Amino acid sequence: MRRDVKKFIFFGALEDRERFFRQAQQAGIVQFIDPSKRGPQERPHQIQKLIDANRILRTVKPMKQEDFIEASHADEVAERICWLAGRITDLQDEKRIVTQEISRIHIFGHFSIEDLHYLEAHGRVVQFFFSRHAHDVGEEPHLIDVGSDHALHYFVSISPHRMTYPGLTEMRIERSLGSLEGRFKEIEHEISRAEHELKGYAKRKEALETALIAHLNEYHLLTAQEHVEMSLGNSVFAVEGWVAEHKIAALDRMARKTSVHHEEILIEPQDQVPTCLENHGYARVGEDVLHVYDSP
């Protein structure tokens, strides 16, 4: 359910500023406005890593949760989770490339690149070719027809010097079939090991969420205080903020606990009015999705 919001200005003595912001944070009813209109700022590295780690763990099969994790250790765990996810992506990309290369050269079978270099050093150049059409090798004494695969025809040339043949395209082969097949097995093993370690961190999901909330609370408290404008020789502060209409009574109760005053002010045409959603039950699921993707 969408709630209407009102714009307020808060002002009070400088010595009451920190207490006011902490109470506002605990109440969770005010979205403070940055007077510099800088817009969304880049999140600190620790917070971003925790956000990324929590998103990654949502894709992992749930496990029984551990109850507690120290904040400093949570940062290390988040870094490791993000590294593992990145490593798995890189390995999967490499696996795709290696698979394509195996498919490209497998028709030539197993041979050693070192042997090819040895032959070339001793007067015999080995080259690999392909063509989209059949080719008569009868008039080419150094050309061997290897066979066909995927509508292509493959050939090997063994001659005293490098050759070119009309209608044939030379293939560069930097790694042997055996080397590629060995690397393919290594990649699968590394992916399996990284995925196993990543699944083990699933038991830290709730603990990392708690650490993220703690980091966000401190970060939002500090950034909210940066939105303050000073006056009267830096003895009085003022800050503007948005409050949902149905939370104004709670705002009044909070204000009575502090010496900070508040007044409703006019919403200017250029103001970006935030979206306030409040749902319960099954409707809450959709709201959570919107929060993940940052409602304005």
Side-chain angles (χ1 to χ4, degrees):
M1 178 186 298
R2 180 187 292 271
R3 299 285 191 173
D4 291 332
V5 295
K6 301 290 185 180
K7 187 179 180 183
F8 284 82
I9 185 170
F10 304 87
F11 52 91
L14 181 60
E15 57 265 25
D16 295 322
R17 183 183 66 175
E18 184 174 351
R19 179 166 171 260
F20 163 70
F21 277 106
R22 289 200 176 276
Q23 289 198 358
Q25 183 184 52
Q26 292 173 1
I29 57 178
V30 183
Q31 178 179 321
F32 293 104
I33 300 172
D34 183 352
S36 69
K37 305 297 188 295
R38 291 173 298 180
Q41 301 297 301
E42 184 177 349
R43 297 185 181 100
H45 175 79
Q46 289 179 328
I47 290 177
Q48 189 58 54
K49 284 297 181 182
L50 282 165
I51 291 173
D52 293 342
N54 276 285
R55 286 176 175 170
I56 291 167
L57 291 183
R58 291 193 192 114
T59 67
V60 179
K61 183 179 179 180
M63 296 179 62
K64 183 178 179 180
Q65 296 296 296
E66 292 185 352
D67 297 330
F68 176 76
I69 184 172
E70 294 182 2
S72 60
H73 187 44
D75 295 337
E76 295 175 4
V77 170
E79 289 277 359
R80 183 64 179 174
I81 288 170
C82 293
W83 183 87
L84 285 169
R87 181 59 178 158
I88 290 170
T89 298
D90 291 343
L91 288 168
Q92 289 171 337
D93 288 341
E94 185 184 357
K95 180 180 177 180
R96 175 180 53 81
I97 293 170
V98 169
T99 300
Q100 291 174 346
E101 186 65 5
I102 289 174
S103 177
R104 188 177 77 95
I105 72 169
H106 81 281
I107 194 168
F108 296 111
H110 291 274
F111 57 86
S112 168
I113 298 294
E114 289 74 17
D115 288 346
L116 299 186
H117 293 161
Y118 176 84
L119 288 173
E120 185 168 356
H122 290 77
R124 286 294 180 267
V125 179
V126 180
Q127 295 171 265
F128 304 90
F129 296 88
F130 77 88
S131 173
R132 298 187 182 278
H133 307 285
H135 188 84
D136 183 8
V137 299
E139 297 181 359
E140 306 289 355
H142 303 296
L143 195 63
I144 303 170
D145 188 341
V146 175
S148 302
D149 189 35
H150 297 100
L152 296 178
H153 303 271
Y154 295 90
F155 306 87
V156 173
S157 171
I158 305 176
S159 65
H161 49 81
R162 303 199 71 82
M163 300 290 293
T164 59
Y165 299 95
L168 300 188
T169 301
E170 185 173 1
M171 299 172 59
R172 296 292 183 181
I173 299 179
E174 305 294 337
R175 301 171 65 182
S176 69
L177 181 60
S179 172
L180 290 167
E181 290 174 340
R183 180 55 188 157
F184 182 87
K185 292 179 180 178
E186 290 175 356
I187 292 171
E188 287 197 316
H189 178 68
E190 290 183 47
I191 290 175
S192 177
R193 186 170 55 187
E195 288 178 340
H196 178 75
E197 183 179 349
L198 186 60
K199 289 176 182 178
Y201 285 118
K203 61 187 177 183
R204 301 290 184 87
K205 181 175 180 295
E206 291 181 2
L208 288 175
E209 289 173 349
T210 300
L212 172 60
I213 291 170
H215 276 297
L216 285 172
N217 282 341
E218 188 64 24
Y219 171 66
H220 288 156
L221 177 62
L222 293 174
T223 53
Q225 294 185 64
E226 291 177 357
H227 299 168
V228 165
E229 293 180 339
M230 310 304 295
S231 61
L232 298 179
N234 289 339
S235 62
V236 176
F237 78 91
V239 64
E240 297 177 356
W242 301 101
V243 179
E245 195 172 37
H246 69 295
K247 296 291 186 179
I248 293 177
L251 174 65
D252 293 336
R253 290 193 296 272
M254 184 190 76
R256 287 195 289 270
K257 300 177 182 178
T258 69
S259 300
V260 176
H261 303 280
H262 64 281
E263 296 288 344
E264 184 179 348
I265 57 177
L266 181 67
I267 298 177
E268 302 290 343
Q270 68 272 19
D271 285 335
Q272 294 185 348
V273 182
T275 302
C276 178
L277 300 175
E278 184 176 69
N279 292 296
H280 302 281
Y282 288 112
R284 176 75 184 181
V285 175
E287 180 182 337
D288 290 340
V289 172
L290 286 177
H291 287 320
V292 168
Y293 293 99
D294 297 330
S295 298

